[in-house]
Amino acid sequence: MNTSDSRRDFLKKSALLGTGLSLAGSASLPAFAEVAKSKNKLPAWKGFNLLDFFSHDPSGGRRTKPEYVKWIADWGFDFVRIPISYPSYLDIDRSRPILPEELLNFDESRLKKVDELVQRCLDQGLHVSLNLHRAPGFCINAGFIEPYNLWKDQEALDAFCAHWEMWAMRYKGISKKKLSFDLVNEPYQRLDPNDQHSPGGPVDMLDYHRVAEAALDTIKSVKKSRLVIADGNGGGGTAMPELADLDLAQSCRGYHPFPISHYKAGWVYKDPESVPPVDWPLMQGERVLGIDNIREYYAPWKALVDQGIGVHCGECGCYNETPHDVFLSWFGDVLTVLKENGIGFGIWEFSGAFGVMNSGRKDVEYEDWYGEKLDRKFLELLRAQI
C-alpha cells in the first residue's frame, strides 16, 4: 500500500467532502478560568464519555439522545469525551477483516454523524475531546483483526496520521477551547495484538514517543494551536515523563484499585462469581488500601502537573456489580484526590453499566427521570465537585 499517495489523494478530495463543523457553540470559558486556581495547565473539565461510535460496527454503539447532552450541561458539567472506533466511519465490508487498502476508505455519511454529535455538544457549551479508541493497528480491546501493528509498522503509523489529518482538517475552524484531540485510547502492547486475552504490558516508550510525535506533528501542521492529549501507558494508568519534550497534555484513569472499579466484570474475570466480596477501604492480604493509597497512585501524575504538563482523567467510574455503597465511598475518595491536584474527569459512561443513567445496578433505588433510571446519589456525588 502506497500510503503517501493515499494521503495525497485524500487531501485533494477533502475540499469536496466539506469542512465539517464551523466555529459553533458558545465557548466554555469558565473551565479555562479554573487553570488559574491550580498548577494544572489543563482545565479541570468534568463530564462523561459518550459511546455512540465506540464499536467498529456502526450499529453497535450507544445512542446519545439529544436530551442527554442537554442534561449534562444543565447539571453543570462542561466536558464530553467521544471515543471512536475508526472502522465505524469507513466504507468497508465488515463481514471479513479489514484490508490494508481499506484503511482510508472514509465514508462521508458516517463522518457527518460524528459531526452531528460534536455539534450538539458544542451547542450546549461542552468541551469535546475526540479520541480514537480503536486506531489503525491498535485497540486495547482487540477483537477486530488489524493488518498492521501501530507500535511497530510504518504502514499503521501512516494510516494513523492520515486519520488525524482528516479530523484536524475537518474541525480546523473550531477553537482549542471547544475541541481537543485524544490520540489513542490506553496504549498497551500484547504478544498477539489481535487477541484480547494475549499477555502484554506497557508500550515501549521509544515506540510510543515516535507514534505520538508523528501524529502530533500531523495535527499541528493543520492547526498549530490544537490541544492534543496522550493517554497514559500500560492501559492508561502510567504517567509518561518521557513525553515531556512534546507539546502534549496527558490523560490518566480513575479505576484504581481495579478490584473495586471492575468487580465481577465479565471481560476481566473468567469466573466472575468466584471473585471475593469487596469493601472500601479494601483489604489486600495484610495491606489496607484507602485514600492514602489513591494519593500514592496519582503521585506520578501530580509530578507531571508540577512539571507544567496538563493532566486530565479521561475515563473513570465503576462497573455495576460493585455494591453501591462501596462504589460511592471509594469513588468519593478518587474524586477528592483528583480535585486536590486540579484534575478533571470524564465518567465512563453517561447511560449504561458505569453511568448515572440506566446502570442496571440491583441495589439502587432509581429516580424516574423523564422515563430514564437516574442514580441520584451518584449524580450528586459528581455535582459536588463542580
Side-chain angles (χ1 to χ4, degrees), residues 40-60:
N40 196 343
K41 289 179 65 176
L42 276 188
W45 295 303
K46 301 173 182 69
F48 300 88
N49 282 252
L50 302 179
L51 310 190
D52 299 53
F53 310 103
F54 168 68
S55 172
H56 63 268
D57 181 352
S59 65

Side-chain angles (χ1 to χ4, degrees), residues 281-301:
L282 178 68
M283 292 291 298
Q284 286 199 331
E286 297 182 356
R287 192 180 182 203
V288 180
L289 305 186
I291 191 170
D292 287 340
N293 176 259
I294 294 175
R295 290 190 176 103
E296 291 173 11
Y297 174 79
Y298 285 106
W301 295 98

Side-chain angles (χ1 to χ4, degrees), residues 250-315:
Q250 296 192 27
S251 178
C252 61
R253 291 295 177 264
Y255 298 132
H256 175 79
F258 211 66
I260 296 280
S261 65
H262 288 68
Y263 179 64
K264 290 189 176 182
W267 65 95
V268 175
Y269 300 100
K270 291 183 178 179
D271 182 11
E273 294 308 313
S274 69
V275 177
V278 291
D279 203 347
W280 186 253
L282 178 68
M283 292 291 298
Q284 286 199 331
E286 297 182 356
R287 192 180 182 203
V288 180
L289 305 186
I291 191 170
D292 287 340
N293 176 259
I294 294 175
R295 290 190 176 103
E296 291 173 11
Y297 174 79
Y298 285 106
W301 295 98
K302 180 182 184 299
L304 288 183
V305 171
D306 292 344
Q307 192 177 338
I309 297 170
V311 175
H312 185 264
C313 183
E315 286 186 26

Side-chain angles (χ1 to χ4, degrees), residues 13 32 35 39 43 79 123 136 176 213 252 282 328 345 350:
K13 295 174 183 176
F32 273 79
V35 176
K39 297 178 181 179
F79 173 85
D123 287 345
K176 71 175 184 179
E213 184 174 24
C252 61
L282 178 68
L328 294 180
F345 59 80
F350 182 73

Side-chain angles (χ1 to χ4, degrees), residues 139-142 149 188-193 195-201:
C139 182
I140 193 168
N141 300 121
N149 182 334
Y188 197 79
Q189 182 63 63
R190 300 184 189 279
L191 292 179
D192 181 352
D195 181 1
Q196 185 170 336
H197 301 291
S198 177

Side-chain angles (χ1 to χ4, degrees), residues 98-250:
I98 190 169
L99 302 176
E101 60 267 25
E102 296 176 326
L103 291 174
L104 302 183
N105 284 3
F106 300 117
D107 185 328
E108 178 64 11
S109 65
R110 299 191 189 283
L111 290 170
K112 284 182 177 178
K113 293 188 180 300
V114 179
D115 291 346
E116 291 168 4
L117 179 57
V118 171
Q119 185 68 65
R120 204 182 312 156
C121 295
L122 293 178
D123 287 345
Q124 293 294 332
L126 303 174
H127 179 90
V128 175
S129 181
L130 204 68
N131 163 250
L132 283 185
H133 191 276
R134 176 176 292 280
F138 172 73
C139 182
I140 193 168
N141 300 121
F144 181 86
I145 304 301
E146 295 283 346
Y148 300 117
N149 182 334
L150 176 60
W151 312 115
K152 299 297 181 183
D153 299 329
Q154 185 62 41
E155 296 90 342
L157 179 55
D158 288 343
F160 183 58
C161 290
H163 278 257
W164 276 119
E165 192 162 40
M166 180 272 294
W167 289 117
M169 292 181 65
R170 194 170 190 89
Y171 297 152
K172 184 177 181 180
I174 302 176
S175 164
K176 71 175 184 179
K177 295 180 181 179
K178 302 176 183 180
L179 179 77
S180 58
F181 291 154
D182 181 345
L183 292 178
V184 59
N185 182 69
E186 298 177 357
Y188 197 79
Q189 182 63 63
R190 300 184 189 279
L191 292 179
D192 181 352
N194 290 312
D195 181 1
Q196 185 170 336
H197 301 291
S198 177
V203 175
D204 182 277
M205 278 309 307
L206 291 177
D207 289 332
Y208 194 170
H209 192 288
R210 174 176 49 81
V211 168
E213 184 174 24
L216 177 66
D217 288 348
T218 298
I219 292 167
K220 295 285 190 176
S221 72
V222 176
K223 188 179 183 72
K224 189 174 182 179
S225 63
R226 177 65 63 212
L227 174 59
V228 184
I229 299 170
D231 280 12
N233 205 349
T238 303
M240 301 169 297
E242 298 91 342
L243 298 185
D245 62 315
L246 300 178
D247 184 18
L248 287 167
Q250 296 192 27

Side-chain angles (χ1 to χ4, degrees), residues 336-354:
T336 294
V337 175
L338 290 175
K339 190 171 186 178
E340 288 173 353
N341 294 298
I343 299 173
F345 59 80
I347 303 298
W348 184 279
E349 53 202 312
F350 182 73
S351 176
F354 282 71

